[in-house]
Amino acid sequence: MLLDTYRLSLRSYTDFPDFAPFESWDPSAPTKSLPWYDAYNKTKHDRESNLRDATLENAVYAVGAAVVMFFAQFGAEIEPRHGEQAALVIQSTFSLSTDFARHPRSCYVPEFTVPLTLNASPVPSFDWRLINYSF
């Protein structure tokens, strides 16, 4: 979902630096590579020893991570309809920017070029095979 490309800023608190909650995520260390998540996890499992990690900054990053996942799933230009308070709160609290160019090879459909001649077929040919699945 290219989560590392989303950057957020707080609209009402311009002194708080822009941040990308998933920028440092490493699949080989999924919990430890995100400092805000590591702090949450430590605090959840041993509150007395790790309460110093329960900071406002980590809370903002955690909420920002939920916002990024909302944008990644529903789109950045989601229009709030009647009764959609979540979209209104998110849009009034956060500004979003993305840098999808960081992942130029990530795509959902195979890339192809359209022939420039009129008699050539513009539709690429794929090796489609019927596979019967037992349900």
Side-chain angles (χ1 to χ4, degrees):
M1 295 178 71
L2 308 178
L3 298 178
D4 63 323
T5 64
Y6 291 84
R7 293 195 72 72
L8 297 170
S9 61
L10 295 173
R11 290 186 185 273
S12 298
Y13 300 94
T14 55
D15 289 342
F16 193 90
D18 294 358
F19 62 102
F22 294 100
E23 188 172 43
S24 63
W25 189 69
D26 178 3
S28 65
T31 303
K32 301 284 184 193
S33 62
L34 298 172
W36 57 267
Y37 187 80
D38 189 40
Y40 155 76
N41 207 28
K42 284 194 238 176
T43 306
K44 178 179 76 170
H45 290 289
D46 187 358
R47 184 179 6 202
E48 289 78 21
S49 299
N50 299 299
L51 194 57
R52 69 186 173 283
D53 293 324
T55 65
L56 180 59
E57 180 181 42
N58 283 332
V60 169
Y61 272 61
V63 171
V67 167
V68 164
M69 295 188 70
F70 180 86
F71 280 134
Q73 183 173 2
F74 298 112
E77 302 300 322
I78 189 166
E79 289 295 323
R81 293 183 297 275
H82 177 68
E84 288 184 342
Q85 289 296 318
L88 291 171
V89 169
I90 288 170
Q91 290 175 346
S92 66
T93 307
F94 294 96
S95 292
L96 172 77
S97 63
T98 58
D99 182 17
F100 293 128
R102 291 175 51 186
H103 300 284
R105 297 233 179 245
S106 296
C107 61
Y108 290 107
V109 294
E111 292 183 41
F112 66 93
T113 57
V114 177
L116 298 177
T117 60
L118 294 176
N119 59 355
S121 171
V123 179
S125 63
F126 297 102
D127 181 21
W128 296 102
R129 284 178 250 137
L130 177 64
I131 300 174
N132 290 320
Y133 288 100
S134 57
F135 292 103

Coordinates of all heavy atoms in Angstrom, one line a residue, residues 23-60:
E23 N 7.7 5.5 7.6 CA 8.9 5.7 6.8 C 10.0 4.7 7.1 O 10.7 4.3 6.3 CB 9.3 7.1 7.0 CG 10.5 7.6 6.1 CD 10.7 9.0 6.2 OE1 10.7 9.6 7.3 OE2 10.9 9.7 5.1
S24 N 10.1 4.4 8.4 CA 11.3 3.6 8.8 C 10.9 2.1 9.0 O 11.7 1.3 9.5 CB 11.8 4.1 10.2 OG 10.8 4.0 11.2
W25 N 9.7 1.7 8.5 CA 9.3 0.3 8.7 C 10.2 -0.7 7.9 O 10.5 -0.5 6.8 CB 7.8 0.1 8.3 CG 7.3 -1.2 8.6 CD1 7.0 -1.6 9.9 CD2 7.0 -2.3 7.8 NE1 6.5 -2.9 9.9 CE2 6.5 -3.4 8.6 CE3 7.1 -2.5 6.4 CZ2 6.1 -4.6 8.0 CZ3 6.7 -3.7 5.9 CH2 6.2 -4.7 6.7
D26 N 10.6 -1.7 8.6 CA 11.4 -2.7 8.1 C 10.7 -4.1 8.4 O 10.5 -4.4 9.5 CB 12.8 -2.7 8.8 CG 13.7 -3.8 8.3 OD1 13.4 -4.6 7.4 OD2 14.8 -3.9 8.8
P27 N 10.4 -4.8 7.3 CA 9.7 -6.1 7.5 C 10.4 -7.1 8.4 O 9.8 -8.0 9.0 CB 9.5 -6.6 6.1 CG 9.7 -5.5 5.2 CD 10.6 -4.5 5.9
S28 N 11.7 -7.0 8.4 CA 12.5 -8.0 9.2 C 12.4 -7.6 10.7 O 12.7 -8.5 11.5 CB 14.0 -8.0 8.8 OG 14.6 -6.8 9.0
A29 N 12.0 -6.4 11.1 CA 11.8 -6.0 12.5 C 10.6 -5.2 12.5 O 10.6 -4.0 12.8 CB 13.0 -5.2 12.9
P30 N 9.4 -5.8 12.3 CA 8.2 -5.0 12.2 C 7.8 -4.1 13.4 O 7.3 -3.0 13.2 CB 7.1 -6.0 11.9 CG 7.7 -7.3 12.3 CD 9.2 -7.2 12.2
T31 N 8.0 -4.6 14.6 CA 7.7 -3.9 15.8 C 8.7 -2.8 16.1 O 8.4 -1.7 16.4 CB 7.4 -4.8 16.9 OG1 6.4 -5.8 16.6 CG2 7.0 -4.1 18.2
K32 N 10.0 -3.3 16.1 CA 11.1 -2.4 16.6 C 11.4 -1.3 15.6 O 12.0 -0.3 16.0 CB 12.3 -3.2 16.8 CG 12.2 -4.3 17.8 CD 12.2 -3.8 19.2 CE 12.1 -4.9 20.2 NZ 11.8 -4.4 21.6
S33 N 11.1 -1.5 14.3 CA 11.5 -0.5 13.3 C 10.6 0.8 13.3 O 11.0 1.8 12.8 CB 11.5 -1.1 11.9 OG 10.2 -1.5 11.5
L34 N 9.5 0.7 13.9 CA 8.6 1.9 14.1 C 8.6 2.3 15.6 O 8.0 1.7 16.4 CB 7.2 1.5 13.7 CG 6.9 1.1 12.3 CD1 5.5 0.6 12.0 CD2 7.3 2.3 11.3
P35 N 9.4 3.4 15.9 CA 9.5 3.8 17.3 C 8.2 4.0 18.0 O 8.1 3.7 19.2 CB 10.4 5.1 17.2 CG 11.1 5.0 15.9 CD 10.1 4.2 15.0
W36 N 7.3 4.7 17.4 CA 6.0 4.9 18.0 C 5.2 3.6 18.3 O 4.6 3.5 19.4 CB 5.1 5.9 17.2 CG 4.8 5.3 15.8 CD1 5.6 5.6 14.6 CD2 3.8 4.4 15.4 NE1 5.0 4.9 13.6 CE2 3.9 4.2 14.0 CE3 2.7 3.8 16.0 CZ2 3.1 3.4 13.2 CZ3 1.9 3.0 15.3 CH2 2.1 2.8 13.9
Y37 N 5.3 2.6 17.4 CA 4.7 1.4 17.7 C 5.4 0.6 18.8 O 4.8 -0.1 19.6 CB 4.5 0.5 16.4 CG 3.7 -0.7 16.6 CD1 2.3 -0.6 16.7 CD2 4.3 -1.9 16.9 CE1 1.5 -1.8 16.9 CE2 3.5 -3.1 17.2 CZ 2.2 -3.0 17.2 OH 1.4 -4.1 17.4
D38 N 6.7 0.6 18.7 CA 7.5 -0.1 19.8 C 7.2 0.5 21.1 O 7.0 -0.2 22.1 CB 9.0 0.1 19.4 CG 9.9 -0.8 20.3 OD1 9.5 -1.9 20.6 OD2 10.9 -0.3 20.7
A39 N 7.0 1.8 21.2 CA 6.7 2.5 22.5 C 5.3 2.0 23.0 O 5.1 1.7 24.1 CB 6.7 4.0 22.3
Y40 N 4.4 2.0 22.0 CA 3.0 1.5 22.4 C 3.0 0.1 22.9 O 2.4 -0.2 23.9 CB 2.1 1.6 21.1 CG 0.9 0.7 21.2 CD1 -0.2 0.9 22.0 CD2 1.0 -0.5 20.4 CE1 -1.2 0.0 22.0 CE2 -0.1 -1.4 20.4 CZ -1.2 -1.1 21.3 OH -2.2 -2.0 21.3
N41 N 3.8 -0.8 22.2 CA 3.8 -2.2 22.5 C 4.5 -2.4 23.9 O 4.0 -3.2 24.7 CB 4.6 -2.9 21.4 CG 4.2 -4.4 21.3 OD1 3.1 -4.7 21.7 ND2 5.1 -5.2 20.9
K42 N 5.6 -1.6 24.1 CA 6.2 -1.8 25.5 C 5.3 -1.3 26.6 O 5.2 -1.9 27.6 CB 7.5 -0.9 25.5 CG 8.7 -1.6 24.7 CD 9.9 -0.9 25.1 CE 10.6 -0.3 23.9 NZ 11.8 0.5 24.2
T43 N 4.6 -0.1 26.3 CA 3.8 0.4 27.4 C 2.6 -0.5 27.6 O 2.1 -0.7 28.7 CB 3.3 1.8 26.9 OG1 4.4 2.6 26.6 CG2 2.5 2.5 28.0
K44 N 2.0 -1.1 26.6 CA 0.9 -2.0 26.7 C 1.2 -3.2 27.6 O 0.5 -3.7 28.4 CB 0.4 -2.5 25.3 CG -0.7 -3.4 25.3 CD -1.1 -3.8 23.9 CE -0.1 -4.8 23.4 NZ -0.6 -5.4 22.1
H45 N 2.5 -3.8 27.4 CA 2.8 -5.0 28.1 C 3.4 -4.8 29.4 O 3.4 -5.7 30.3 CB 3.8 -5.8 27.2 CG 3.1 -6.4 26.0 ND1 2.2 -7.4 26.1 CD2 3.2 -6.1 24.7 CE1 1.7 -7.7 24.9 NE2 2.3 -6.9 24.0
D46 N 4.0 -3.6 29.7 CA 4.6 -3.3 31.0 C 4.6 -1.8 31.3 O 5.5 -1.1 31.1 CB 6.1 -3.9 31.1 CG 6.7 -3.8 32.4 OD1 6.0 -3.3 33.4 OD2 7.8 -4.2 32.6
R47 N 3.4 -1.4 31.7 CA 3.1 0.0 31.8 C 4.1 0.7 32.9 O 4.6 1.8 32.6 CB 1.7 0.2 32.2 CG 1.2 1.6 32.3 CD -0.2 1.7 32.7 NE -0.8 0.4 33.0 CZ -2.0 0.1 33.0 NH1 -2.9 0.9 32.6 NH2 -2.4 -1.1 33.2
E48 N 4.3 0.0 34.0 CA 5.1 0.6 35.0 C 6.5 0.9 34.6 O 7.1 1.9 34.9 CB 5.0 -0.3 36.3 CG 3.7 -0.3 37.0 CD 2.7 -1.2 36.3 OE1 3.1 -2.1 35.6 OE2 1.5 -1.0 36.6
S49 N 7.1 0.0 33.9 CA 8.5 0.1 33.5 C 8.7 1.0 32.3 O 9.8 1.5 32.1 CB 9.1 -1.3 33.2 OG 9.1 -2.1 34.3
N50 N 7.7 1.1 31.4 CA 7.8 1.8 30.2 C 6.9 3.0 30.0 O 6.8 3.5 28.9 CB 7.6 0.8 29.0 CG 8.5 -0.3 29.0 OD1 9.7 -0.1 28.9 ND2 8.0 -1.5 29.2
L51 N 6.4 3.6 31.1 CA 5.5 4.7 31.0 C 6.2 5.9 30.4 O 5.6 6.7 29.7 CB 5.0 5.1 32.4 CG 3.8 6.0 32.4 CD1 2.6 5.5 31.6 CD2 3.4 6.3 33.8
R52 N 7.5 6.0 30.5 CA 8.3 7.1 29.9 C 8.2 7.2 28.4 O 8.4 8.2 27.8 CB 9.8 7.1 30.3 CG 10.5 5.9 29.7 CD 11.9 5.7 30.2 NE 12.5 4.5 29.7 CZ 12.2 3.3 30.2 NH1 11.4 3.1 31.1 NH2 12.8 2.2 29.6
D53 N 7.8 6.0 27.8 CA 7.7 5.9 26.3 C 6.3 6.4 25.9 O 6.1 6.6 24.7 CB 7.9 4.5 25.8 CG 9.4 4.1 26.0 OD1 10.3 4.9 25.9 OD2 9.6 2.9 26.3
A54 N 5.4 6.6 26.8 CA 4.0 7.0 26.4 C 4.0 8.5 26.3 O 3.5 9.2 27.1 CB 3.0 6.5 27.5
T55 N 4.6 9.0 25.2 CA 4.7 10.5 25.0 C 3.6 11.0 24.0 O 3.0 10.2 23.3 CB 6.1 10.8 24.4 OG1 6.1 10.2 23.1 CG2 7.2 10.3 25.2
L56 N 3.4 12.3 24.1 CA 2.4 12.9 23.2 C 2.9 12.7 21.7 O 2.1 12.4 20.8 CB 2.3 14.4 23.5 CG 1.3 15.1 22.6 CD1 -0.1 14.5 22.7 CD2 1.3 16.6 23.0
E57 N 4.2 12.8 21.5 CA 4.7 12.6 20.1 C 4.4 11.2 19.6 O 3.9 11.1 18.5 CB 6.2 12.8 20.1 CG 6.8 12.6 18.7 CD 8.3 12.9 18.7 OE1 9.0 12.4 19.6 OE2 8.8 13.5 17.7
N58 N 4.6 10.2 20.4 CA 4.3 8.8 20.0 C 2.8 8.7 19.7 O 2.4 7.9 18.8 CB 4.8 7.8 21.0 CG 6.3 7.6 20.9 OD1 6.9 7.8 19.8 ND2 6.9 7.2 22.0
A59 N 2.0 9.3 20.5 CA 0.5 9.2 20.4 C 0.1 9.9 19.0 O -0.7 9.4 18.3 CB -0.2 9.9 21.5
V60 N 0.7 11.1 18.7 CA 0.4 11.7 17.4 C 0.8 10.9 16.3 O 0.1 10.7 15.3 CB 1.1 13.1 17.4 CG1 1.0 13.7 16.0 CG2 0.5 14.1 18.4

